[in-house]
Amino acid sequence: MIFEHKLETPAEAMISITKQVKEAIAQSKVTDGICVVYCPHTTAGITINENSDPHVVQDILLGLANAFPRLPAFRHDEGNSAAHLKASAVGSSAVVPIANGRPLLGVWQDTYFCEFDGPRTRTFYIKVIEC
Amino acid sequence: MIFEHKLETPAEAMISITKQVKEAIAQSKVTDGICVVYCPHTTAGITINENSDPHVVQDILLGLANAFPRLPAFRHDEGNSAAHLKASAVGSSAVVPIANGRPLLGVWQDTYFCEFDGPRTRTFYIKVIEC
Amino acid sequence: MIFEHKLETPAEAMISITKQVKEAIAQSKVTDGICVVYCPHTTAGITINENSDPHVVQDILLGLANAFPRLPAFRHDEGNSAAHLKASAVGSSAVVPIANGRPLLGVWQDTYFCEFDGPRTRTFYIKVIEC
């Protein structure tokens, strides 16, 4: 089964979508398999990281901005090449195994939708596969 | 089904392989599932990013070179450690859901083979899975 | 089938887990499919890179430290935000096609568990899927 979700995002953020992932697995009634979370945008991505201290997410966004700054040599008209770079660095999908009807996320892991060039209305997909 | 493709690459490039992905899905006659695009090389990778303005791809390669420069402390004899780093940053695969016989790529998304240490003859695989 | 493994890690390392991947595929008796290697931690990850010259792995860790340094502005109490960044950059999983009962890893490719904030006892999963 595949689930489509919409999100309203701010300029830059990592938004936990673990709740939607767990709901998709529950609705699919899949006990063993994998789950693919997919972002169909080119200045946003999906990553898995800490769910406890919100400073981690802020530090990750800060660290990505430091690693991938806006360079004078960039030529893309829209001026958001750094956001495209961050999207390719974190990736457009996450794949998580499912066991006993639950994603095998670690205790400290959440699945995040990463917005690097908002605010926008964004879409993401959750594909749940029995296997 | 799995499909193997060859590519001749320049020194550095992101080459769209979306056409091959769509063809693989069509030939597989899979309407719902996922598609895994895999790069079996260690100085090349697979990423998904913008298909419209070719400056985006140039800016991504520029930004990766800025983030992962050749460092004096590198010890790998071949001198291409920066290319190995870029390969791990973008990743060796992309996973895309399939719906209605088509990859769920966003309007602006293409799948790219990323060459970081060419020119070479490269291989990539497209695995199409019904589920 | 899904396999769970434990690892004792040093402060920072990339540890080849290709042997465990091959064994999981053999035990599953899957000839064609995919293999998902998953890391349930937020300061560690999974990547695929060179298996031949051990300097490559050292250079990758050096290059990641250069791209994602500890910044004065980081606010996460534990002081390991750089490790969280590296985890999101390399990613928490790898997906490898399986053909003829073997992972389609290239000649120079190994699958690595990446420790960015050890020493710790770590877990990883290998999900083998027939398709």
Side-chain angles (χ1 to χ4, degrees), chain C residues 14-99:
Chain C
M14 287 170 59
I15 300 164
S16 176
I17 54 173
T18 301
K19 185 167 164 270
Q20 290 92 322
V21 169
K22 288 182 176 166
E23 283 171 2
I25 295 170
Q27 282 189 47
S28 302
K29 300 189 196 305
V30 167
T31 53
D32 294 277
I34 59 169
C35 178
V36 176
V37 184
Y38 185 74
C39 169
H41 306 287
T42 59
T43 53
I46 306 290
T47 198
I48 291 172
N49 219 296
E50 173 163 327
N51 56 18
S52 174
D53 178 1
H55 288 158
V56 172
V57 159
Q58 294 170 27
D59 290 354
I60 289 174
L61 292 172
L62 210 59
L64 288 172
N66 182 65
F68 304 110
R70 186 177 188 154
L71 299 178
F74 282 166
R75 294 176 62 196
H76 179 43
D77 277 350
E78 286 187 69
N80 61 354
S81 289
H84 287 282
L85 266 159
K86 293 171 192 173
S88 275
V90 305
S92 53
S93 66
V95 181
V96 183
I98 301 166

Side-chain angles (χ1 to χ4, degrees), chain B residues 22-108:
Chain B
K22 287 182 178 166
E23 284 171 3
I25 294 171
Q27 282 189 47
S28 302
K29 300 189 196 305
V30 167
T31 54
D32 294 278
I34 59 169
C35 178
V36 176
V37 184
Y38 186 75
C39 169
H41 306 287
T42 59
T43 53
I46 306 290
T47 198
I48 291 173
N49 219 296
E50 174 163 324
N51 56 19
S52 175
D53 178 0
H55 288 156
V56 172
V57 158
Q58 294 170 28
D59 291 355
I60 289 174
L61 293 172
L62 211 58
L64 288 172
N66 182 65
F68 304 110
R70 186 176 187 155
L71 299 177
F74 283 166
R75 296 175 61 195
H76 179 42
D77 276 348
E78 285 186 71
N80 61 354
S81 289
H84 286 283
L85 266 158
K86 293 171 192 174
S88 275
V90 305
S92 54
S93 66
V95 181
V96 183
I98 301 166
N100 303 313
R102 296 208 295 199
L104 270 180
L105 290 166
V107 182
W108 307 106

Side-chain angles (χ1 to χ4, degrees), chain A residues 1-120:
Chain A
M1 286 180 77
I2 190 157
F3 300 85
E4 181 178 339
H5 288 277
K6 298 284 183 194
L7 269 182
E8 297 297 325
T9 62
E12 198 175 49
M14 287 169 61
I15 299 165
S16 175
I17 54 173
T18 300
K19 187 167 162 271
Q20 290 92 323
V21 169
K22 287 181 177 167
E23 283 172 2
I25 295 171
Q27 281 189 46
S28 302
K29 299 188 196 306
V30 166
T31 53
D32 294 278
I34 59 169
C35 178
V36 177
V37 184
Y38 185 75
C39 169
H41 307 287
T42 58
T43 53
I46 306 290
T47 197
I48 290 173
N49 219 296
E50 173 163 326
N51 56 18
S52 175
D53 178 0
H55 288 158
V56 172
V57 158
Q58 294 171 28
D59 291 354
I60 289 174
L61 293 172
L62 210 60
L64 288 172
N66 182 66
F68 304 110
R70 187 177 187 153
L71 299 177
F74 283 166
R75 295 176 61 196
H76 179 42
D77 277 350
E78 286 187 69
N80 61 354
S81 289
H84 286 283
L85 265 159
K86 293 170 192 174
S88 275
V90 304
S92 53
S93 66
V95 181
V96 183
I98 300 166
N100 303 313
R102 296 208 296 199
L104 270 181
L105 290 166
V107 182
W108 307 105
Q109 284 184 322
D110 258 12
T111 308
Y112 287 98
F113 184 96
C114 306
E115 174 61 78
F116 299 124
D117 190 39
R120 306 208 198 203

